[in-house]
Amino acid sequence: MQIKTDTEGMALALEWAAKGMTITAPNPRIGCVIVRDGEVIGAGHTQPAGQAHAEIQALRDAAARGNDVRGATAYVTLEPCSHYGRTPPCSNALVQAGLGRVVAAMGDPNPLVAGRGMAQLEAAGIAVAMGELANEAHELNIGFFKRMRQGLPWVRLKTAASLDGVTALDNGESQWITGPQARADGHAWRARACVMLTGIGTVKADDPQLTVRGIDTPRQPRRVIVDSRLDIDLDARILQGEPCWIVAAVDDGDKAQKLRDAGHEIILLPNASGKVDLPALMRELGRREINEVHVEAGSKLNASLVREGCVDELLVYLAPSLIGAGQGMFALPALARLADKYALRFHGVSQVGADLRILARFEQQEQPQEST
């Protein structure tokens, strides 16, 4: 493959970054390609935490192919790290390898890096540039950027409904409003998340597993259940498999102990009303290095998360059907003034099978930094 422009080089690096979609957390998904005279001589993406970053993988790939990287250009989707963490600094490795030029899509928001990586490269005589395909790079790691800047994960709330906004009949029947392609697409969004979050109402009504199925993924997202009074049935399917985090407002001694004995963790975060403090939950997830939260819950928890300002993005699948009376997406209270509506903007609309997929973001969404 011939690389003729920086845009082409970064686009290929982003393709490599996407290969690490489900494995890099809490680190960002990064890709790197090394190019000489238009030829890709090395490429790689970030491995699971504690293993090699994208730049190291690309350097190793070049060496394995017998390619000399001295004087070559490296395209990397985020500024190379310049600090010792679980691994040594990538900026050191690029300097030692003798790269001639490094193009980064964006600066690293991690305060331990924040420009130092590019400065180190420049000080070593390596030409640097930044800003190529910055928006695309930001989208790929939107949760990492938000967590680094605000200490909070990116929260994506998924729901599926008919054109008249019905998610289930009054008797609870909901399988299936949307088609198989939309359901498979929803599992792909599950797979990229660090956490799957639901509420006790959904657990009781649907007894879901809340796992990724039908998608090739090396790991399942952590499952988090909002259950203020610890009403969960100890035989619930969601409690099978990997341990869950159960967020409660009270510690019901006997049941809580049984849950802990089964390997689950109880996180106590009560608010003044005796329910779970949802903003505090998001802060706690950020503290636990969670980048992206995928919510699949009922209308009550959906509404509470929206009211508390905890949701960044809606992932809505709309089926070409009308159902009439039934359960809605959000149990929000009636407004007295239209001006009090929740403002969002469409980020993406596409057709998936017979259904529409809509991504809509609240106005407080993360924005990429200006390129330099």
Side-chain angles (χ1 to χ4, degrees):
M1 178 180 182
Q2 274 285 323
I3 300 298
K4 298 179 181 178
T5 66
D6 285 348
T7 300
E8 291 176 352
M10 192 60 71
L12 183 58
L14 285 165
E15 289 181 18
W16 274 90
K19 295 176 187 287
M21 183 69 75
T22 62
I23 65 172
T24 66
N27 293 333
R29 304 149 178 145
I30 307 300
C32 177
V33 296
I34 303 174
V35 177
R36 179 195 296 285
D37 299 326
E39 296 290 337
V40 177
I41 61 174
H45 63 83
T46 297
Q47 301 299 300
Q51 300 182 35
H53 290 186
E55 298 93 325
I56 306 305
Q57 288 289 97
L59 290 170
R60 289 175 180 172
D61 181 49
R65 298 194 214 177
N67 292 326
D68 184 356
V69 302
R70 287 176 295 180
T73 296
Y75 295 94
V76 59
T77 57
L78 192 69
E79 175 185 9
C81 65
S82 58
H83 67 293
Y84 284 88
R86 296 182 178 95
T87 60
C90 292
S91 55
N92 287 0
L94 294 173
V95 170
Q96 292 165 6
L99 271 294
R101 182 168 178 255
V102 174
V103 180
M106 296 190 71
D108 192 331
N110 187 335
L112 297 175
V113 184
R116 296 181 186 87
M118 298 301 275
Q120 180 185 351
L121 297 174
E122 195 168 24
I126 298 174
V128 300
M130 192 158 65
E132 195 69 45
L133 298 183
N135 287 334
E136 290 82 353
H138 181 267
E139 284 295 317
L140 194 63
N141 288 299
I142 197 164
F144 176 78
F145 273 86
K146 185 180 180 190
R147 181 169 66 82
M148 284 292 126
R149 292 173 179 166
Q150 300 181 31
L152 299 168
W154 180 264
V155 180
R156 182 179 295 114
L157 191 158
K158 178 258 182 181
T159 187
S162 60
L163 278 181
D164 51 349
V166 176
T167 62
L169 301 182
D170 283 333
N171 63 13
E173 182 184 350
S174 62
Q175 297 182 347
W176 297 102
I177 289 176
T178 53
Q181 293 95 331
R183 297 198 296 275
D185 191 68
H187 277 270
W189 286 96
R190 282 185 179 187
R192 70 171 281 167
C194 307
V195 151
M196 289 276 300
L197 186 146
T198 194
I200 186 60
T202 297
V203 172
K204 287 194 162 198
D206 300 337
D207 195 21
Q209 293 175 280
L210 216 65
T211 55
V212 178
R213 298 183 299 280
I215 300 292
D216 185 20
T217 179
R219 64 97 173 99
Q220 290 287 341
R222 173 80 65 170
R223 294 167 298 176
V224 178
I225 307 157
V226 176
D227 182 7
S228 296
R229 298 187 300 273
L230 287 182
D231 288 330
I232 193 165
D233 189 321
L234 295 175
D235 294 324
R237 292 203 302 166
I238 198 170
L239 298 180
Q240 299 169 12
E242 293 297 314
C244 298
W245 292 342
I246 303 170
V247 192
V250 296
D251 188 339
D252 177 349
D254 182 55
K255 182 179 280 187
Q257 190 56 51
K258 288 179 180 177
L259 289 166
R260 292 186 179 106
D261 289 344
H264 308 291
E265 181 179 353
I266 311 296
I267 303 173
L268 290 174
L269 293 173
N271 64 14
S273 303
K275 297 184 180 296
V276 168
D277 187 327
L278 296 173
L281 170 57
M282 297 309 157
R283 292 191 294 271
E284 176 64 16
L285 292 177
R287 188 186 69 79
R288 295 183 183 219
E289 298 186 309
I290 299 301
N291 290 336
E292 292 186 21
V293 174
H294 180 98
V295 179
E296 291 195 22
S299 61
K300 291 182 180 179
L301 181 55
N302 286 351
S304 295
L305 288 164
V306 168
R307 285 200 313 270
E308 296 286 346
C310 296
V311 181
D312 297 288
E313 179 175 61
L314 301 183
L315 171 62
V316 181
Y317 295 92
L318 288 181
S321 62
L322 299 174
I323 293 177
Q327 301 178 22
M329 292 184 273
F330 302 93
L332 290 166
L335 296 177
R337 303 183 310 147
L338 191 58
D340 293 333
K341 65 183 182 294
Y342 294 90
L344 299 92
R345 66 183 184 87
F346 291 123
H347 180 71
V349 180
S350 57
Q351 187 162 348
V352 181
D355 307 306
L356 284 185
R357 181 185 68 199
I358 298 172
L359 284 169
R361 290 182 175 173
F362 288 87
E363 293 299 336
Q364 79 271 20
Q365 69 164 9
E366 271 284 281
Q367 296 287 350
Q369 292 176 323
E370 293 182 3
S371 60
T372 58

